[in-house]
Amino acid sequence: MTIDERLEQVWDVVVSRNPGEPEFHQAVQEVLGSIAPVLEKHPELAAHKSIERICEPERQIIFRVPWMDDRGEIQINRGFRVEFNSALGPYKGGLRFHPSVNLGIVKFLGFEQTFKNALTQMPIGGGKGGSDFDPKGRSDGEIMRFCQSFMTELYRHLGEYTDVPAGDIGVGGREIGYLFGQYKRITNRYESGVITGKGITWGGALVRPEATGYGATFFAEEMLRVRGTSLDGKTCVVSGSGNVAIYAIEKVHQLGGKVVACSDSVGYIVDEGGIDLDTLKEIKLDARGRVSEYVERRQAAKFVVGGSIWDVPCQVAMPSATQNELTGADAKSLINNGVIAVVEGANMPATPEAVSAFLDAGVAFAPGKAANAGGVATSALEMQQNASRDSWTFEHTEQRLAQIMEGIHDACFETAEEYGAPGNYVVGANIAGFLRVSQAMLALGLI
Ligand code: GLU
């Protein structure tokens, strides 16, 4: 992705002001590579330095998280919350607990989130947070004590009109419960709208656990529809085996496709007959186990360590594990094996080389900020239900999710066409997201 010379100065400032943050640079570069035609058409946005302001987070919070492990030893982690942009609503975005988390990772995620949330058309700004805490192998008690310590600092920055976290990698329903419990205890307020992804009996919304995976699959179906086809009968590969991957597999199967492979950080499984979702859910959701356990239960399946899941031939690929998991070489294998659509379930899973390869080969490519927006959109629906003290049925909520994904798809598709890049969802998503955020910022004065 080349950056227009008018934006080169913006890029230079971002790189020099944020040293050692390659993922943040990468996310900014992708957006800068798309928006030059907008600034030409809307000189007022350039005059008001909209993109310069969007690249600078409104607030960045870094804090110590001390906690005691089961052996009585004191542990110290680092906590983050980057409140990126609140032009469209309270900061909204998940918390990630993973040893790879650092300020650059949180900034890339917060930057992406700002555009993603704008694309949903919901009233939510962008933010992201997390910690370098590694939940793997930790007991329930350790997870709880860590979450309580994390919230003991974070609570002062939150509020249903200020900043509303949710889950991400390493943060699911259990962690959201401990975090909300501590927030409630400190503030003496049952403020349901302060966090999303809550359990269904204490303020959560139906479809929220499924929403990211379902939403990405709805997006895939829309992209295929434009090309005169559908998921029905298609062979798919979904990387990862967390919440996003599991519910993407579920929806692909419901729509008649067949997912033959998924993965975790150790390796990947291939089951040519189609992944058996009940088995996978038992292993991953009920027992918090590893995908390798799948082959102990399904004789026909194999477990591969050391290769790339993208060597498994498929027509639709849904990278749903983590950033930069799909490289230029992986893109070549997928293209050689006849992939027709690639849909990012995770945030920025395809490297810039991979994205260029897909676009050059005419593969339908959906960037995460558009395709995985169903999760945060359903979080906004959860906030809506909390605000009205209401709860909707599964069917109604899923229908809303499907409509939102269709809306995002169409906005990306039409914007790409309008700006002379037909079929390029990267350009469409970046421009549509940028326009919504920057026009709101313009309306609110110099913020
Ligand atoms: N972590 C999710 C994302 O990347 C969801 C955030 C939310 O629901 O606030 O969009």
Side-chain angles (χ1 to χ4, degrees):
M1 220 101 24
T2 48
I3 294 177
D4 188 278
E5 57 185 41
R6 284 160 296 180
L7 287 165
E8 255 167 32
Q9 210 192 335
V10 183
W11 170 243
D12 289 345
V13 171
V14 167
V15 172
S16 65
R17 191 180 260 170
N18 303 280
E21 297 179 355
E23 293 84 4
F24 180 51
H25 301 168
Q26 184 184 334
V28 171
Q29 186 172 31
E30 193 213 79
V31 170
L32 293 182
S34 303
I35 60 163
V38 190
L39 299 179
E40 206 158 290
K41 206 166 176 173
H42 295 275
E44 75 284 5
L45 297 178
H48 285 84
K49 301 213 169 171
S50 303
I51 188 63
E52 288 87 336
R53 281 187 280 150
I54 286 178
C55 289
E56 183 65 21
E58 288 177 16
R59 191 177 296 113
Q60 306 182 52
I61 303 148
I62 305 181
F63 52 100
R64 179 171 67 207
V65 189
W67 57 284
M68 196 170 279
D69 71 17
D70 285 347
R71 292 172 307 164
E73 200 173 310
I74 289 171
Q75 301 283 341
I76 294 113
N77 285 98
R78 186 171 282 183
F80 302 91
R81 186 72 181 167
V82 174
E83 300 181 329
F84 228 103
N85 197 298
S86 60
L88 292 170
Y91 309 106
K92 182 82 197 87
L95 299 171
R96 176 176 293 192
F97 292 169
H98 191 272
S100 65
V101 167
N102 56 42
L103 183 60
I105 295 274
V106 179
K107 274 160 76 177
F108 120 63
L109 290 165
F111 183 78
E112 289 282 294
Q113 197 81 45
T114 300
F115 292 83
K116 182 196 307 196
N117 294 4
L119 286 170
T120 66
Q121 300 288 326
M122 314 292 281
I124 42 179
K128 202 86 184 192
S131 174
D132 57 3
F133 170 69
D134 187 358
K136 266 202 193 85
R138 289 296 178 190
S139 71
D140 205 58
E142 291 178 315
I143 300 279
M144 182 180 73
R145 290 195 296 280
F146 175 80
C147 289
Q148 290 177 336
S149 179
F150 186 85
M151 186 54 88
T152 299
E153 168 58 33
L154 189 66
Y155 89 95
R156 70 189 81 249
H157 307 288
L158 306 183
E160 64 173 315
Y161 298 110
T162 308
D163 186 349
V164 183
D168 195 80
I169 293 172
V171 178
R174 171 179 60 167
E175 291 74 17
I176 295 295
Y178 296 147
L179 291 163
F180 180 62
Q182 185 73 352
Y183 182 87
K184 187 181 80 61
R185 204 172 164 204
I186 297 172
T187 60
N188 195 30
R189 284 165 62 85
Y190 205 107
E191 192 184 333
S192 302
V194 76
I195 197 162
T196 61
K198 298 181 292 297
I200 203 67
T201 55
W202 42 277
L206 289 170
V207 192
R208 179 62 192 88
E210 294 86 352
T212 313
Y214 277 21
T217 311
F218 290 143
F219 199 98
E221 187 75 338
E222 284 303 304
M223 283 207 316
L224 292 169
R225 189 182 52 75
V226 167
R227 296 188 165 216
T229 181
S230 73
L231 278 165
D232 193 25
K234 298 283 186 302
T235 299
C236 310
V237 168
V238 179
S239 65
S241 51
N243 223 41
V244 181
I246 284 175
Y247 292 107
I249 297 171
E250 184 163 284
K251 189 50 77 181
V252 168
H253 286 177
Q254 284 173 12
L255 294 175
K258 183 172 72 170
V259 179
V260 295
C262 69
S263 61
D264 64 15
S265 55
V266 179
Y268 65 92
I269 51 166
V270 184
D271 190 342
E272 298 291 353
I275 301 279
D276 182 71
L277 202 59
D278 289 338
T279 306
L280 187 66
K281 279 184 178 174
E282 272 167 38
I283 294 167
K284 294 296 300 183
L285 298 181
D286 303 343
R288 299 180 192 275
R290 313 293 312 181
V291 293
S292 55
E293 293 162 37
Y294 183 91
V295 295
E296 292 158 21
R297 305 215 214 158
R298 297 267 296 184
Q299 301 304 317
K302 61 175 187 192
F303 178 58
V304 185
V305 185
S308 167
I309 189 173
W310 307 116
D311 291 338
V312 179
C314 64
Q315 293 155 296
V316 178
M318 300 180 73
S320 306
T322 194
Q323 67 271 0
N324 291 329
E325 55 158 307
L326 196 166
T327 64
D330 293 328
K332 276 204 191 96
S333 321
L334 282 165
I335 293 164
N336 288 339
N337 286 330
V339 76
I340 54 174
V342 178
V343 179
E344 291 191 325
N347 291 310
M348 208 170 75
T351 63
E353 296 72 34
V355 177
S356 299
F358 291 134
L359 295 176
D360 290 347
V363 171
F365 175 79
K369 61 172 76 78
N372 74 36
V376 76
T378 308
S379 277
L381 299 180
E382 181 173 332
M383 291 161 75
Q384 206 171 316
Q385 290 166 79
N386 292 150
S388 58
R389 300 181 187 277
D390 196 2
S391 51
W392 307 343
T393 63
F394 193 95
E395 291 68 28
H396 173 73
T397 317
E398 190 184 7
Q399 208 178 355
R400 290 285 302 264
L401 169 63
Q403 282 164 357
I404 291 168
M405 295 315 297
E406 222 180 286
I408 298 173
H409 171 275
D410 293 353
C412 296
F413 186 82
E414 286 158 19
T415 307
E417 215 151 58
E418 188 187 332
Y419 283 87
N424 187 329
Y425 290 85
V426 176
V427 166
N430 287 336
I431 293 183
F434 171 68
L435 275 173
R436 188 151 191 263
V437 179
S438 57
Q439 284 170 342
M441 286 174 76
L442 209 65
L444 299 185
L446 185 53
I447 57 167

